[in-house]
Amino acid sequence: MSAWVSGYREVRRDTRSRGGSHRLLTTTVVVVLLIFGASQLHNLLPSIHNPFATTTVDRSGPVLLKSLTDLHTYDAAQANLQVVVDLKDETAYVPSFLKGKETLFVAAGSVQAGVDFSALDTSSMVIGKDHHTIAITLPHARLGETTVDPDHSYVASRQSGLLDHVGAAFSSGGSDAKLYQTAKAKIAAQAAGDAFILQRAEENTRSMLGTLLASLGYTQVSVAFA
């Protein structure tokens, strides 16, 4: 009798175990079906989006025309340059791993070179008696404004000491204006020291005027820079 009861209890325990397994399997199937159903519903109704999604609203004002300037310079050449700016802030008597910053900034910029046509008048041009030759005197080419292209410039690395890391956690972040100013000055200085840029600008100006005046019937065009 005791053996039969013992066997009965073992059967009951095994039945409960199989019932738990069935419930676990059923729950898993339901979860999978819910996930699959949600995926299919998203495919069928793609217009349904997250109601709590963040959107950006542009509330900027209209662009206002502040001034209009007549330009008299023919931009004859453009020099594209790149410079790596390495700025390091140091604190006297304090090791750099505690206090200090070093930034590597790769800057891409350009400088225009042009010739000023604003003073060009009849005294600057000498036309031959046959009306087929012309000689023009122009001022030498000059460098224009230096620009740094933000789309092709980037910070390669930033390193800072422990105290600077702690301070950055409580600040809104620094500005990269100093990096751009330094890069602009270096690019301008490099362009000013390269005479080939101005030479190319004068060659292009001479070629442009030769083609233009040839279309007007001049067979010999002379362009001098003084």
Side-chain angles (χ1 to χ4, degrees):
M1 181 67 180
S2 60
W4 180 86
V5 172
S6 175
Y8 175 74
R9 290 177 179 174
E10 291 177 0
V11 171
R12 292 293 302 273
R13 283 197 298 267
D14 184 66
T15 302
R16 286 195 300 267
S17 176
R18 287 197 299 270
S21 300
H22 287 311
R23 285 194 297 271
L24 178 60
L25 179 60
T26 303
T27 303
T28 303
V29 171
V30 171
V31 171
V32 171
L33 289 177
L34 287 175
I35 295 175
F36 178 78
S39 176
Q40 293 301 315
L41 180 62
H42 177 73
N43 294 332
L44 294 175
L45 301 174
S47 61
I48 298 178
H49 300 288
N50 181 8
F52 302 102
T54 302
T55 58
T56 301
V57 180
D58 188 354
R59 302 179 61 182
S60 306
V63 178
L64 301 178
L65 177 63
K66 301 293 292 184
S67 64
L68 189 63
T69 304
D70 292 331
L71 300 179
H72 303 284
T73 301
Y74 170 64
D75 291 329
Q78 175 177 296
N80 301 310
L81 304 100
Q82 186 181 74
V83 62
V84 178
V85 178
D86 185 356
L87 292 184
K88 188 173 184 179
D89 298 332
E90 297 179 329
T91 303
Y93 309 111
V94 179
S96 59
F97 72 89
L98 285 178
K99 180 69 176 176
K101 295 180 181 179
E102 184 174 7
T103 305
L104 288 178
F105 179 61
V106 180
S110 61
V111 182
Q112 298 280 353
V115 177
D116 186 8
F117 284 3
S118 61
L120 188 64
D121 54 19
T122 54
S123 64
S124 305
M125 296 180 288
V126 178
I127 301 177
K129 294 181 179 180
D130 58 357
H131 298 284
H132 291 294
T133 62
I134 184 172
I136 303 176
T137 302
L138 295 172
H140 282 288
R142 300 169 64 179
L143 295 177
E145 182 70 15
T146 301
T147 59
V148 178
D149 186 358
D151 294 332
H152 295 86
S153 304
Y154 59 93
V155 175
S157 68
R158 293 185 193 269
Q159 296 180 359
S160 56
L162 179 61
L163 297 179
D164 294 296
H165 272 299
V166 175
F170 298 95
S171 64
S172 57
S175 173
D176 291 333
K178 187 177 181 180
L179 295 173
Y180 279 88
Q181 292 171 359
T182 304
K184 183 177 180 180
K186 289 182 177 295
I187 291 175
Q190 175 65 26
D194 190 349
F196 177 74
I197 300 174
L198 297 180
Q199 292 174 4
R200 174 60 66 86
E202 293 182 357
E203 291 174 2
N204 292 343
T205 302
R206 184 179 285 110
S207 176
M208 182 273 296
L209 289 175
T211 302
L212 176 63
L213 294 174
S215 66
L216 299 177
Y218 291 96
T219 57
Q220 183 176 351
V221 180
S222 173
V223 179
F225 295 92

